[in-house]
Amino acid sequence: MKTARWLSAALACGACAGLAREARAQTQGFAVDQFDPSERGSDWFSVESLDLRGNLRPAIGVVMDGAYRPLVVYAPDGTIERSIVRNQIFAHAGASLVLWDRLRVGFNLPIAVFQDGHPGVVDGVTYAPPNTPSIGDLRLGADLRLVGAYGEPFTLALGARFFVPTGQRDNYTGDGAVRLDGRLEMAGDLDIFTYAARVGVEYRNLDDTIGGSPIGSQVLFGAAAGLRFFDHAFVIGPEIYGATIISNSNAFFTTQSTPLDGVLGAHLTFARDFRLGSAFGPGLTRGFGSPVFRWMASLEWAPAYEEAKPEPVPTPEPPSDRDKDGVIDDDDACPDVAGVK
């Protein structure tokens, strides 16, 4: 009975509620980190500012992402019993390239530079802590601008992401299967106020149950709003992002299957082409991968956009009038002697 009461707690990625008695032994993990960074060059950490200006315009950078207690076991009284993954720190290395003032392609490779935790065995179900270093799932992405332009009140784009299964399930850095998502993205500026949002669906080729709660395909969502200062060089504001499982109707918007995080972040552009960013905030639900606390930091090289300037129209030379009498030389009978017109 004591074990049954303990099992009614939650084994979570960020927190689950209720570990079923009949749960099978877990031999492999899954991609715990729910933070999926925006493409390099964005003014936000999780959503896109849709700066798709220029042709062959690159951006490159690293986004650091640290999560505290993203995978834990909860006791019946709601306290954390054990942290399977206690700390998880990723370096997201990535780059993007804007083409034809409309299309952007990019990649992101998460690298787990530090992970730790404690093993746990509950009624024969073994949960092992991760090791480091470890590679996560490589992300390949593309965004196509449909309406509007960066800096205007409304810009709309379609995006797609393909995740190559380069991560390791036993290190909680990958699902061991392909993931694919499509998304609708929007952004805009109204004077110093700026905003961005996205909604999409992710196909996750993983039909599993963790702690009695399903993992699978999900709806993705995110939003940000803030202010621009110093001639748009400084952007500050909150971001919120999350997901909810749709592959199982019983899990849709349930607590354990709906990770939701919120951060307060800022980005500063300096030396014209470089950008620093930082953010911090809590997990807002006890959903898969939503930690107690998360921090972010970034450094990017994102060249400023320069509008093409039209070629100057040459000013024609005035006709010659050597004697300055107001009659051009071609019409002057005495071009070197001033006379009556």
Side-chain angles (χ1 to χ4, degrees), residues 72-159:
V72 301
V73 176
Y74 279 88
D77 62 0
T79 60
I80 294 177
E81 183 77 19
R82 182 174 294 270
S83 300
I84 305 301
V85 179
R86 181 178 176 85
N87 293 286
Q88 196 172 47
I89 300 177
F90 279 88
H92 298 267
S96 67
L97 184 67
V98 177
L99 302 167
W100 310 303
D101 287 300
R102 188 166 297 273
L103 176 68
R104 180 181 61 196
V105 294
F107 77 89
N108 179 76
L109 179 64
I111 305 169
V113 296
F114 179 77
Q115 297 185 110
D116 68 356
H118 305 283
V121 179
V122 181
D123 199 21
V125 181
T126 301
Y127 299 91
N131 297 311
T132 48
S134 179
I135 300 296
D137 289 340
L138 172 66
R139 186 191 75 196
L140 306 175
D143 300 283
L144 178 65
R145 180 173 59 85
L146 302 177
V147 176
Y150 179 76
E152 294 183 356
F154 181 75
T155 303
L156 185 68
L158 283 176

Side-chain angles (χ1 to χ4, degrees), residues 135-224:
I135 300 296
D137 289 340
L138 172 66
R139 186 191 75 196
L140 306 175
D143 300 283
L144 178 65
R145 180 173 59 85
L146 302 177
V147 176
Y150 179 76
E152 294 183 356
F154 181 75
T155 303
L156 185 68
L158 283 176
R161 304 288 184 271
F162 178 79
F163 294 83
V164 183
T166 53
Q168 300 173 321
R169 294 192 66 179
D170 56 355
N171 265 329
Y172 302 96
T173 59
D175 287 351
V178 166
R179 285 182 286 155
L180 178 66
D181 81 51
R183 56 186 67 184
L184 186 66
E185 304 163 323
M186 61 197 73
D189 285 0
L190 297 167
D191 198 12
I192 66 169
F193 175 76
T194 182
Y195 72 93
R198 62 174 164 82
V199 62
V201 176
E202 180 181 74
Y203 167 71
R204 200 170 182 180
N205 189 20
L206 180 66
D207 185 13
D208 207 345
T209 300
I210 303 297
S213 299
I215 300 176
S217 298
Q218 54 191 2
V219 170
L220 308 172
F221 49 86

Side-chain angles (χ1 to χ4, degrees), residues 12 35 41 65 69 75 89-90 92 118 136 144 159 169 181 200 253 295 304 308 319 324 327 329:
F35 172 63
D65 155 38
R69 285 181 164 171
I89 300 177
F90 279 88
H92 298 267
H118 305 283
L144 178 65
R169 294 192 66 179
D181 81 51
F253 275 109
W295 59 264
K324 310 299 181 185
V327 180
D329 293 344

Side-chain angles (χ1 to χ4, degrees), residues 10-91:
L11 174 63
C13 324
C16 280
L19 178 61
R21 183 193 297 271
E22 64 272 17
R24 61 180 174 82
Q26 178 188 352
T27 57
Q28 291 181 308
F30 59 100
V32 168
D33 191 14
Q34 290 294 317
F35 172 63
D36 184 29
S38 58
E39 296 289 4
R40 300 310 95 91
S42 176
D43 296 328
W44 305 104
F45 278 99
S46 66
V47 292
E48 304 291 345
S49 56
L50 299 179
D51 185 358
L52 305 183
R53 300 172 297 172
N55 185 37
L56 297 177
R57 180 170 166 237
I60 188 171
V62 175
V63 180
M64 301 297 298
D65 155 38
Y68 177 61
R69 285 181 164 171
L71 179 57
V72 301
V73 176
Y74 279 88
D77 62 0
T79 60
I80 294 177
E81 183 77 19
R82 182 174 294 270
S83 300
I84 305 301
V85 179
R86 181 178 176 85
N87 293 286
Q88 196 172 47
I89 300 177
F90 279 88

